[in-house]
Amino acid sequence: MAGMTWTIAPEPYDSPAAAALWRAYYTEVSDRWYLLHEGRRTDPEELEREVAAHSGADLAPPRGQLLVGRYDGTPAGSAGARLLDPDTAELTRVFVRPEVRGRGGAPLLVAAAEEAARALGARRIVLDTRSDLVEARALYARLGYTETAPHNTDPYAEHWFRKELLPAPSVN
């Protein structure tokens, strides 16, 4: 494993790599919800409908940015930021493929999304997640996000987080 590294770069939301990561992300979180609440996996027709309905077009410039992380050159994770208003961005689609979890990708992806949010003009970043996504909640807390009041009415959201974005350090 020595020498394997993460690289993170902006990518169109509809690129093959971004689309494959979105499908993997949605499949995992949807299956977790259905297994927990209904004892079954996501219905394949529903999966296709929802993946198509949430294309990620809102993660395209000038109001958003999708980032793809590659581990040793292979697409392995994603994170996105989109403006909700001129001062607030939303962190979304934070995902790392299971086979490369624990190798530092998630904090790098979140940091890159925070930088993208700053570049979009945001002064704060918010997100929502579910109670069963305990790993995500622990990650956000570790990265300085604080739990806050709801900022949306997403029926699956159970926890909302916020972080003030400090200005990027100036280079002298």
Side-chain angles (χ1 to χ4, degrees):
M1 296 291 169
M4 291 190 170
T5 59
W6 284 95
T7 56
I8 298 171
E11 182 127 1
Y13 70 91
D14 57 354
S15 75
L21 288 163
W22 170 231
R23 177 174 295 284
Y25 167 90
Y26 193 88
T27 300
E28 181 176 331
V29 297
S30 183
D31 280 352
R32 280 178 77 160
W33 191 91
Y34 277 112
L35 286 168
L36 179 65
H37 296 282
E38 297 185 12
R40 65 173 178 89
R41 295 196 179 282
T42 309
D43 174 85
E45 288 180 16
E46 178 191 3
L47 178 67
E48 293 307 315
R49 191 172 51 251
E50 291 301 313
V51 165
H54 299 92
S55 70
D58 55 346
L59 294 172
R63 297 194 47 83
Q65 184 71 70
L66 180 70
L67 301 146
V68 169
R70 286 175 167 75
Y71 186 73
D72 198 30
T74 301
S78 64
R82 63 177 163 231
L83 285 177
L84 298 179
D85 64 48
D87 293 324
T88 309
E90 182 177 36
L91 177 65
T92 187
R93 293 196 186 194
V94 177
F95 175 72
V96 174
R97 288 192 179 274
E99 62 271 18
V100 293
R101 289 180 184 158
R103 297 183 185 161
L108 294 173
L109 284 159
V110 170
E114 290 171 358
E115 186 56 39
R118 272 189 211 89
L120 294 168
R123 297 183 343 190
R124 75 189 62 79
I125 192 164
V126 298
L127 65 95
D128 65 68
T129 191
R130 298 188 327 232
S131 292
D132 63 307
L133 301 176
V134 294
E135 306 91 342
R137 291 186 6 246
L139 169 72
Y140 301 133
R142 200 168 52 250
L143 296 178
Y145 287 77
T146 56
E147 200 152 351
T148 187
H151 64 268
N152 63 25
T153 57
D154 183 323
Y156 296 104
E158 297 169 312
H159 298 271
W160 294 264
F161 289 84
R162 173 183 172 133
K163 183 177 183 181
E164 297 301 316
L165 296 173
L166 300 175
S170 60
V171 178
N172 292 327

